[in-house]
Amino acid sequence: MREASIWREKVADFAASRIALFGLALLLLIVLAALGAPWFSMQNPYDLAQLDIMDARLPPGSIGAEGQTFLIGSDEQGRDLWSAILYGLRISLGVGVISTLIAVSLGLAVGLIAAYRGGRWDSVIMRVVDIQLSFPAILIALILLAVLGQGVGKIIAALVTVQWAYYARTVRGAALAEMSKDYIAAAQGLALSPARIVFNHLLPNCLPPLIVVASVQVAHAIALEATLSFLGLGLPITEPSLGLLIANGYQYLLSGKYWVSFFPGVALLLTILSINLVADQLRDVLNPRLAK
Amino acid sequence: MLVLLAMSVLVFVGVYLIGNPIDILISSQADQAERERAIVALGLDKSIWSQYGSFAVGALTGDLGKSFAHGVPALELIMTRMPATLELALSAMVIAVGLGIPLGLIAGLKPDGFIGKTIMAASILGFSLPTFWVGLMLIMLFAVFLGWLPSNGRGETVDLFGVPVSFLTPDGLLHLILPAVNLALFKLSLLIRLTRAGVREAMAMEYVKFARAKGLSNARIVGVHVLKNIMIPIVTVIGLEFGSVVAFAVVTESVFAWPGMGKLLLDSINVLDRPVIVAYLLIIVSLFVFINLLVDLAYSALDPRVRLADAGAH
């Protein structure tokens, strides 16, 4: 009962910011559009049979050879950009979310081990974390992908490698703070098994800071994936994320055909922006230091 | 030092596994004999450990191997590209610091005012904009549609102490504007947020109330007391972010065809030019170690507590 009212309070706090609610609505809309891509687009942009080369590089609002309207134009293969963006969003969001989930689990496990075991475990793990965090994410990802090559699995592996250390550090910090509290001592006094203490008592209390970091990191992961794909090191051409769509338009930019790069970029921007707006408010709501 | 060694082994073995650079470097018309000759000439016939051994011995004497693709020493190749990258990164940092701290101060002092809110909204936007896409849009707007600024290369350079720089010639400066602004944008948002948070915390402190009670002017309170106290996290971030700006220059350089070492790294990855990739990493790692050292030194200059703690430890 008390549990529920605490969460209701948090939800009310979150809803107090209109801009955060706007971000949440925008995010839901984007996720919905990505999930329902086949229903909201006029063609499957990667079924070559549905493309007509005569429709290539049409400006926004053009009517195609078969009478269809290209709302925001088409790319160099006559692909409807709106459809391509929806399908691209699916891949961008999917890669971002999956890599974050894996990295969160990994970081959670490693961080809890470091905090609970302490001693040598702690110092070795935190040394690795410190070294890794002293290098920019993009550099690590670039080198990893240069080594691994292209592919969805590989870019997820690279994004996980880049991210896990943030979570490990966050969880360790939170867990250390929690472990000095009385309820853990009480649980230990009751001779509960370490597994039960860690999973039932420690872990739930480490989640709020983890959620805050993860919400910011999803946006970073999506941006990083787009950047790597833009540089030609991320996803292969068969799985075109937003970054690749933007890269495709690069060569036409100088001749004034702006839409091929512009609109996928707007989609990417709105995605990252909506996540950041939600994350910003989450941080304020879940941060005990700012609690009134 | 250990970090350097570990990184060099990791990267060397990793890069070794990517694939055979011979397939990319030699034209497909080359016959078998030519192929063999090239393999021996590049030292690719030896085992990975003997390759690493000769690399490590060379590295200790400052020789990081020869570029497969360009035939010149990798270190020299990177050094000729480095000034361009450093110039770009420094210009970006100057823009980010020069605008970020004042804007953050304003937003922190008047968090609920219209200007403060506008600055914060803009910084969230700056945080969310993907750097490479902003670069493309800057090119589109200022180079293609308006035609005010050039979109690629460094323009005319002059030598300053034997190092070619762009910012001293009018043409070079014009070339520098777009990439520097592009690279600065993300750090600018970061600095605004950091300064704002620092100011808001500091303004609630006892020493600010005390200074008020003493009758000091607002300008003096903010300019001397608050600023001094928020400088420590800001200096850390500026120092550490400089390294990340150098790394992130890879993106900006490839958008604006800026001939720096980031562009060189990308090109080298594409042709599997191993010595250049390895050399780039070693140089970047050294740069990071050096920057961390500088940040530590800046710390003790700014914060008497750090000095005292050090003195007490000895």
Side-chain angles (χ1 to χ4, degrees), chain A residues 16 32 58 98 106 117 119 142 225 244 253 262 269 271:
Chain A
L32 201 69
L58 293 174
I98 292 173
L106 193 67
R117 281 292 184 90
L142 266 181
E225 179 272 314
L244 211 61
L253 198 67
F262 180 72
L269 169 64
T271 309

Side-chain angles (χ1 to χ4, degrees), chain A:
Chain A
M1 193 58 212
R2 254 184 60 78
E3 189 92 325
S5 70
I6 288 173
W7 284 107
R8 201 171 306 150
E9 196 178 298
K10 298 280 180 206
V11 170
D13 280 353
F14 185 89
S17 160
R18 242 181 304 165
I19 190 124
L21 279 182
F22 167 74
L24 189 64
L26 186 60
L27 183 60
L28 288 178
L29 205 66
I30 289 170
V31 171
L32 201 69
L35 288 179
W39 295 289
F40 301 126
S41 52
M42 67 178 214
Q43 58 176 214
N44 176 352
Y46 300 101
D47 180 4
L48 290 177
Q50 294 183 28
L51 303 180
D52 188 343
I53 199 74
M54 295 300 287
D55 295 335
R57 295 194 293 280
L58 293 174
S62 304
I63 308 295
E66 285 163 32
Q68 73 276 50
T69 314
F70 291 87
L71 262 186
I72 52 174
S74 66
D75 74 357
E76 79 273 18
Q77 289 175 28
R79 208 173 269 144
D80 173 43
L81 264 181
W82 171 255
S83 314
I85 287 175
L86 288 186
Y87 278 79
L89 259 180
R90 274 182 150 184
I91 296 163
S92 291
L93 280 175
V95 167
V97 170
I98 292 173
S99 65
T100 303
L101 286 180
I102 299 176
V104 164
S105 324
L106 193 67
L108 191 63
V110 172
L112 283 175
I113 290 175
Y116 200 79
R117 281 292 184 90
R120 194 174 296 163
W121 286 82
D122 190 27
S123 50
V124 169
I125 289 175
M126 290 326 285
R127 180 57 60 83
V128 173
V129 166
D130 281 344
I131 289 177
Q132 193 188 323
L133 289 185
S134 66
F135 293 97
I138 185 153
L139 197 64
I140 299 177
L142 266 181
I143 298 307
L144 266 177
L145 286 174
V147 173
L148 294 172
Q150 285 189 332
V152 177
K154 286 161 184 163
I155 191 144
I156 289 178
L159 291 176
V160 168
T161 313
V162 165
Q163 290 187 75
W164 74 274
Y166 291 100
Y167 303 122
R169 180 192 264 178
T170 310
V171 169
R172 173 184 174 269
L176 280 182
E178 292 300 322
M179 280 186 29
S180 63
K181 292 189 180 162
D182 287 342
Y183 73 93
I184 295 287
Q188 278 164 343
L190 285 170
L192 297 182
S193 70
R196 182 150 173 208
I197 295 177
V198 169
F199 287 109
N200 288 7
H201 300 274
L202 196 54
L203 196 146
N205 287 300
C206 297
L207 285 182
L210 191 65
I211 293 171
V212 172
V213 176
S215 60
V216 178
Q217 283 295 322
V218 177
H220 277 303
I222 292 174
L224 188 58
E225 179 272 314
T227 306
L228 293 166
S229 296
F230 173 77
L231 292 175
L233 291 165
L235 294 168
I237 195 84
T238 47
E239 261 115 351
S241 71
L242 294 176
L244 211 61
L245 290 177
I246 296 171
N248 283 341
Y250 186 22
Q251 46 184 322
Y252 303 109
L253 198 67
L254 291 177
S255 51
K257 296 189 174 65
Y258 66 92
W259 58 90
V260 191
S261 278
F262 180 72
F263 290 109
V266 172
L268 185 60
L269 169 64
L270 289 178
T271 309
I272 298 175
L273 184 67
S274 62
I275 298 176
N276 279 344
L277 289 176
V278 171
D280 235 35
Q281 184 69 2
L282 272 182
R283 191 184 48 216
D284 287 351
V285 169
L286 294 177
N287 187 351
R289 273 198 299 176
L290 286 178
K292 284 153 267 173

Side-chain angles (χ1 to χ4, degrees), chain A residues 136 146 231 250 258 261 265 276 280, chain B residues 18 128 133 140 193 254-255 288:
Chain A
L231 292 175
Y250 186 22
Y258 66 92
S261 278
N276 279 344
D280 235 35
Chain B
I18 322 177
S128 307
W133 184 69
M140 187 183 90
R193 296 172 75 98
S254 82
V255 171
F288 271 86

Side-chain angles (χ1 to χ4, degrees), chain B residues 280-300:
Chain B
Y280 174 89
L281 277 167
L282 290 182
I283 288 173
I284 281 279
V285 172
S286 320
L287 188 70
F288 271 86
V289 173
F290 181 64
I291 290 173
N292 280 327
L293 188 73
L294 284 186
V295 171
D296 278 351
L297 290 177
Y299 252 18
S300 56

